[in-house]
Amino acid sequence: MPIASPEVYAEMIDRAKAGAFAYPAINVTSSQTLNAALQGFAEAGSDGIIQISTGGAEYVSGPTIKDKVTGAVALAEFAHHVAKHYPVNIALHTDHCPKNHLDGFVRPLIDISAERVAKGQNPLFQSHMWDGSAVPLDENLQIAEELLAKTAAAKIILEIEVGVVGGEEDGVTAAIDDKLYSTVEDGLATAAALGLGEKGRYLTALTFGNVHGVYKPGNVKLRPEILKEIQDAIGAKYGKEKPLDLVFHGGSGSLLSEIHGALDFGVVKMNIDTDTQYAFSRPVADHFFRNYDGVLKVDGEVGNKKAYDPRAWGKLAENGLAKRVLEACEHLRSTGTTFAK
């Protein structure tokens, strides 16, 4: 299937919420990790979301170029070509973008998609995230409203963050404190500013104790019931059941019961990065340790080309990441839910 059209992406989200499942949103940093994610979704029979962060996009552009837009566009164009051969629907998304990167990342990418739509084509990316967690809520929503008007016109879905995800990702660090928990007031302010679809569709990353990276159980207390409280409050005011399409950030190490609770309360997308990074790297380490004399020219020997050929260990890495995507689909209940024709 080709990359999801705006209509297909909207249906993906609607089906996930109605079925109380979510799509893994897999961060990628290369053609290899992108191919691995596609493989995992196909093996799971699940539609899915593939996303790239500002740091990932900069990396893709080349270590001496470091141009986020170039990297994001290049990987998205690659995805549009290779995804045609997989029997699932895939949406492309850009992950956390703080205020200081909007002009150099999200806004130019929206403009590129707007130009494509004006020519009768689909947008390059299906959604973009504005991460306003580091600014006051009023400013966060003011910028979100401006971006929502542009994304809606370009047939793109906007993702916002209301609250703070702890830990560190791509140089953005947040403390582990009470700000990790969104409030009912935060949710009501979001609905008042952005509407509930009439101004354009958006996803909301409410926070309920989420932390980026790896942490041991007990270090952070997840409270998915917060999502229900906010959904119920907004729903009561506007007469809609589970009015927000929610996103789960910082889920590495979460208990399955916590994940399923979040799905029941309206989460349709869960970001997965740390776990897939390890799943990609672990088979490479194993290969290099097991084939030490082959991947290195030790003691004047010539090594073994078949051992150090990037395709040899690259396939292992891709299979490792694909298996983790398959596992994520099972945890998020999306296995076998594709409606690709």
Side-chain angles (χ1 to χ4, degrees), residues 186-205:
D186 294 338
L188 290 169
T190 300
L194 304 184
L196 294 176
E198 67 275 11
K199 295 183 179 182
R201 190 159 194 172
Y202 62 95
L203 306 171
T204 307

Side-chain angles (χ1 to χ4, degrees):
M1 295 295 293
I3 295 296
S5 66
E7 295 75 20
V8 167
Y9 191 28
E11 185 174 352
M12 285 170 58
I13 295 170
D14 291 340
R15 285 166 58 89
K17 185 186 281 189
F21 65 88
Y23 300 106
I26 307 300
N27 280 70
V28 297
T29 55
S30 65
S31 60
Q32 280 190 302
T33 49
L34 189 149
N35 280 332
L38 290 172
Q39 177 186 332
F41 284 124
E43 290 177 353
S46 171
D47 300 324
I49 299 168
I50 291 176
Q51 58 190 24
I52 188 166
S53 65
T54 55
E58 184 178 276
Y59 175 79
V60 170
S61 74
T64 62
I65 304 301
K66 296 184 178 181
D67 184 276
K68 294 182 289 292
V69 172
T70 295
V73 169
L75 200 60
E77 291 285 6
F78 178 82
H80 276 263
H81 287 283
V82 298
K84 296 176 183 178
H85 302 285
Y86 291 86
V88 291
N89 299 301
I90 299 295
L92 300 178
H93 175 78
T94 59
D95 200 9
H96 291 271
C97 182
K99 182 179 178 181
N100 61 317
H101 287 304
L102 282 175
D103 288 341
F105 191 56
V106 162
R107 286 192 175 106
L109 291 174
I110 294 174
D111 290 342
I112 288 170
S113 284
E115 292 174 8
R116 289 169 60 101
V117 169
K119 297 176 183 176
Q121 302 173 320
N122 286 329
L124 184 63
F125 283 88
Q126 286 62 62
S127 52
H128 294 292
M129 183 185 180
W130 146 237
D131 183 354
S133 61
V135 302
L137 182 61
D138 288 348
E139 183 180 2
N140 182 351
L141 295 177
Q142 182 179 16
I143 293 173
E145 190 170 10
E146 172 250 318
L147 291 172
L148 184 60
K150 293 186 176 185
T151 53
K155 299 184 178 181
I156 299 167
I157 293 174
L158 180 69
E159 180 181 330
I160 65 169
E161 183 169 313
V162 177
V164 177
V165 177
E168 186 274 335
E169 182 174 62
D170 269 4
V172 179
T173 303
I176 299 175
D177 55 26
D178 289 343
K179 293 182 180 179
L180 299 186
Y181 302 95
S182 299
T183 66
V184 167
E185 291 72 25
D186 294 338
L188 290 169
T190 300
L194 304 184
L196 294 176
E198 67 275 11
K199 295 183 179 182
R201 190 159 194 172
Y202 62 95
L203 306 171
T204 307
L206 296 174
T207 56
F208 50 101
N210 323 49
V211 175
H212 288 132
V214 179
Y215 58 91
K216 294 182 179 180
N219 190 30
V220 175
K221 175 62 177 175
L222 286 176
R223 295 173 54 201
E225 65 274 11
I226 286 175
L227 304 180
K228 183 178 188 303
E229 293 170 5
I230 295 173
Q231 291 275 45
D232 288 349
I234 298 173
K237 181 173 182 178
Y238 293 94
K240 296 184 70 173
E241 184 179 0
K242 289 194 290 190
L244 296 180
D245 300 326
L246 300 180
V247 179
F248 186 166
H249 285 237
S252 296
S254 300
L255 298 174
L256 200 56
S257 59
E258 295 169 334
I259 293 173
H260 287 171
L263 302 186
D264 292 337
F265 302 144
V267 164
V268 297
K269 171 179 179 279
M270 179 174 172
N271 289 13
I272 301 175
D273 187 17
T274 304
D275 288 351
T276 47
Q277 287 178 345
Y278 184 77
F280 185 80
S281 301
R282 179 63 179 81
V284 179
D286 181 71
H287 175 80
F288 274 58
F289 282 128
R290 290 179 183 273
N291 298 279
Y292 182 84
D293 292 340
V295 297
L296 296 177
K297 298 180 180 181
V298 179
D299 296 331
E301 295 297 326
V302 296
N304 181 351
K305 183 181 183 302
K306 291 184 178 180
Y308 60 73
D309 184 334
R311 291 170 293 184
W313 48 267
K315 291 175 184 176
L316 299 174
E318 291 182 35
N319 285 334
L321 194 155
K323 288 180 181 177
R324 184 60 184 84
V325 172
L326 178 60
E327 180 184 34
C329 292
E330 293 171 353
H331 288 172
L332 298 183
R333 305 170 177 161
S334 70
T335 301
T337 61
T338 182
F339 63 102
K341 303 293 192 297

